[in-house]
Amino acid sequence: MPIIINIDVMLARRKMSSGELAEKVGITPANLSILKCGKAKAIRISTMDAICKALDCQPGDILEYRENT
């Protein structure tokens, strides 16, 4: 998939656990895991907003496009 989810990178930079982020965002750890591994088909704007607030980042810090080679 050409869209890369960099939540793990941002979690490491903020020294935050996945469980802590899931709690702050208000989603289950299982749903956060689906997002992190790129298996999600969609993400709500409200969820992205909450993730960006919790990680103090921009959506572009989390989402990255890489063309398939």
Side-chain angles (χ1 to χ4, degrees):
M1 179 194 295
I3 301 293
I4 309 300
I5 310 294
N6 291 316
I7 291 176
D8 282 336
V9 173
M10 294 308 298
L11 284 171
R13 287 183 183 166
R14 301 298 187 254
K15 296 184 172 132
M16 186 183 297
S17 70
S18 293
E20 186 180 351
L21 178 61
E23 187 176 319
K24 285 184 176 189
V25 173
I27 61 175
T28 66
N31 282 340
L32 181 60
S33 177
I34 290 168
L35 281 173
K36 284 176 24 179
C37 70
K39 301 232 186 242
K41 300 283 184 200
I43 182 169
R44 292 178 185 257
I45 296 296
S46 59
T47 302
M48 180 62 78
D49 178 60
I51 289 171
C52 289
K53 283 180 185 173
L55 293 174
D56 188 28
C57 67
Q58 295 294 312
D61 296 329
I62 296 170
L63 301 174
E64 179 183 349
Y65 175 78
R66 286 191 201 155
E67 200 168 325
N68 286 340
T69 55

